[in-house]
Amino acid sequence: MNSNSTTCGTLSWSFCPPNKLSTRKATVSIIRAVNDISNESVETADAVVCGGGPAGLLTAIMLAEKLPPSQKIRLYDRLSAPPDADDDRIWDNDVARFYLIGLGGRGQSALQEFGAWEGVVKDRCVSVVGRRDWQPGDLEGTERIFTEAEKRVPTEVLARDKLVGVLHQHILDKYNGRIELNYGFEVHPIDFSHENGKSVLVEIAQCTSELGRLNPSEVKTSVENQEEILCSTEDTKLLKVNGLLVAADGTVRTVANAMEREDRKRFDSLNPIQKVFAPKPFRVKRYDDDNQRVYKSFPIDVPKDWRFDLNYSARAKRATFDALPANRKGNYCGLLLLKKDDPLAVENNDPNELRAMMDNSFPFFSKLIDDDTMATVAKKPVSYLPSFRYAGPRLHQGNNCVMLGDCVHTVKPYFGLGANSALEDVRILGQAIDKHKDENGEIDTTKVVREFSKRRAKDSKALVRVSRDLDRPGKLGVFTFLIPIILDSIFSKFLPAIFTPNIINMLQREGWTFSGVARRKRLERVLQAAMLASGFYLVGRVATRAALWTVAKVFALCQRSVAARYAIPAAALSCVATFLASRSNKTRELSKDLPAVADVISKFSKKSEEKQVAKK
Ligand SMILES: Cc1cc2nc3c(=O)[nH]c(=O)nc-3n(C[C@H](O)[C@H](O)[C@H](O)COP(=O)(O)OP(=O)(O)OC[C@H]3O[C@@H](n4cnc5c(N)ncnc54)[C@H](O)[C@@H]3O)c2cc1C
């Protein structure tokens, strides 16, 4: 049960043909009841990590640093071992095969803290120092290099699977024997409070070799609803975890789903009065995706006169196109994001139609794509972006199980926060372990899991809710995204001591918690509304006074320059103006200390009559 035992090892990765999960019938596991397993032999483990994505692998490294040296860490992933991060045949042959992620300050700090950053950044990432954006109809694009104030830490871009490959290699090099890596095995929780809450019992099921051969990108791209169990229960074993069980199983959420089922059952068994006083059951908040986009990825070689370290991004009415550098040689991976009901958002679409759409919407990218590539992309199935989800109100179950990463907070990748926040979770779990460790290095798992929930549950919820507000469709998006961004940019420019930069920028700042950002922005909105209301009130008052003053002056002028016979039409005109000005109560109220327009008219008419009489 280690990485060597996988059917498709790291070296032979590139020769493993990708299978399509959607065309394969999944074997659904039936989780057994605890009393069914009393006679089976049970292995024991000190600590188990479920999931070998970025969060799971970094958790294993963190645990190896924090737990007493006698304790071993086992990691299980249902897929095969990741590809070799240094095998350029894998990464350069088809740069659109693996999606790219940008690591910002939050992710970089977490990797640094556990000694894994050097390996990630060394020749394996591309620093993105700015962007070039095309608005609809624009053919030139606008280039912007980030200032230090805008981006304190440059984003480092690499394929998600390459990051996983680097962390995997780091474990083999540095923690061999301490961390046991098991690929092709799926974890199913069975009892979260085993032996009166002293341990957690899980079942380990061996996956089919077919599933084990898939790489995570392919699973993500081919399964829309990943919340299903795919491995067989015919070849299983039971494992009792005496220390921590850390669930980092991403959007599959095997552990969170089991927790939700257990809590719901417990809650439903309570009477109505007990329900009022009982703690809220654990649940996964699943938002309906009302702004769903799917994508197809394109390999692109940018021309020599384009920079190789920018994020290229274009918007059109029908779609958006976003490209990140896959390496430092100018090979980019571009994502064409389409609405789910777009006729091109299907497998096997017509390459000519795809070309026509690209020519029409993104001619500057279309000319970089040859016909063969266009045909290959047209043939591909679409890939799905994750939907917004968060788990809560706590992130633990019993005394041993805690969860982190995408399984507790799933966001769309528009703001580059998924992997970054997942890696930051690991850092916070590490801090909780430090806090509840005794002098012999033994940790109090009960306190650790509770501490982690306390520190991270609100943040997970805030991250998902704030990110979702930035992705609302149509007019709603104008209020939840556009107006706040415009207001923030104006207010923070003129009053930087009071107002922080826009929320997207703030979410990237590692010194800020996500719930802290949400709170701060709520406060700023109230202040902005108060300032705008006072501003409008003052402007309204001044404008009313100015209007009345102008009317008075116009009459005075008429009076002096035009004969008295014009007084009546002028009075009529002023009446209309007065009527318009006095339509609102506010205007009437504001003008009460000014001379009435009628008085002004009669005064001037009287004066004019007197003058005319005198002249005669
Ligand atoms: C197109 C795209 C672009 C993105 N861009 C960015 C970006 O720029 N910046 C950013 O920060 N994030 C980005 N993300 C998000 C990022 O990829 C995820 O947030 C990140 O991978 C989450 O890591 P994780 O370890 O929590 O989960 P995952 O990466 O999903 O890993 C979970 C692992 O658990 C395994 N697993 C699942 N269930 C079980 C089980 N029962 N037993 C054993 N193993 C199991 C899975 O096989 C998988 O390997 C992007 C995502 C997409 C789709």
Side-chain angles (χ1 to χ4, degrees), residues 487-488 491 497-500 503 512 515-531:
L487 286 179
D488 283 347
F491 278 88
I498 302 174
F499 294 100
T500 54
I503 200 159
W512 284 80
S515 48
V517 172
R519 247 192 331 269
R520 174 66 182 237
K521 281 293 162 196
R522 272 198 301 273
L523 185 70
E524 287 182 15
R525 293 282 167 264
V526 173
L527 266 177
Q528 285 168 352
M531 287 175 78

Side-chain angles (χ1 to χ4, degrees), residues 51 54-55 77-78 99 101-102 160 186-187 249 254 406 413 416 418-420:
D77 196 289
R78 61 187 199 152
Y99 68 81
I101 61 173
R160 179 257 183 218
E186 193 169 70
V187 178
D249 49 352
T254 318
D406 260 21
N420 283 293

Side-chain angles (χ1 to χ4, degrees), residues 426-437:
V426 180
R427 199 174 176 201
I428 289 166
L429 181 60
Q431 289 166 3
I433 291 177
D434 284 341
K435 192 167 167 190
H436 299 290
K437 202 195 272 197

Side-chain angles (χ1 to χ4, degrees), residues 398-410:
N399 300 320
N400 304 71
C401 176
V402 69
M403 56 193 66
L404 47 77
D406 260 21
C407 66
V408 289
H409 43 74
T410 315

Side-chain angles (χ1 to χ4, degrees), residues 293-295 318-321 335-339 385 414:
R293 296 285 184 280
V294 295
Y295 70 91
R318 187 170 170 188
T320 57
F321 197 97
L335 298 187
L336 172 69
L337 286 150
L338 296 157
K339 286 193 182 134
L385 293 178
Y414 304 147

Side-chain angles (χ1 to χ4, degrees), residues 437-485:
K437 202 195 272 197
D438 67 16
E439 58 279 5
N440 302 321
E442 294 292 335
I443 63 162
D444 183 335
T445 58
T446 310
K447 287 189 179 156
V448 168
V449 297
R450 278 167 177 64
E451 172 88 20
F452 181 76
S453 277
K454 202 168 120 196
R455 287 205 45 198
R456 211 49 178 167
K458 276 195 193 128
D459 270 341
S460 302
K461 182 174 170 182
L463 168 65
V464 175
R465 290 174 71 156
V466 167
S467 309
R468 182 170 177 262
D469 280 350
L470 300 174
D471 182 48
R472 302 316 309 274
K475 283 185 193 139
L476 199 53
V478 173
F479 288 101
T480 60
F481 174 67
L482 208 59
I483 294 177
I485 294 281

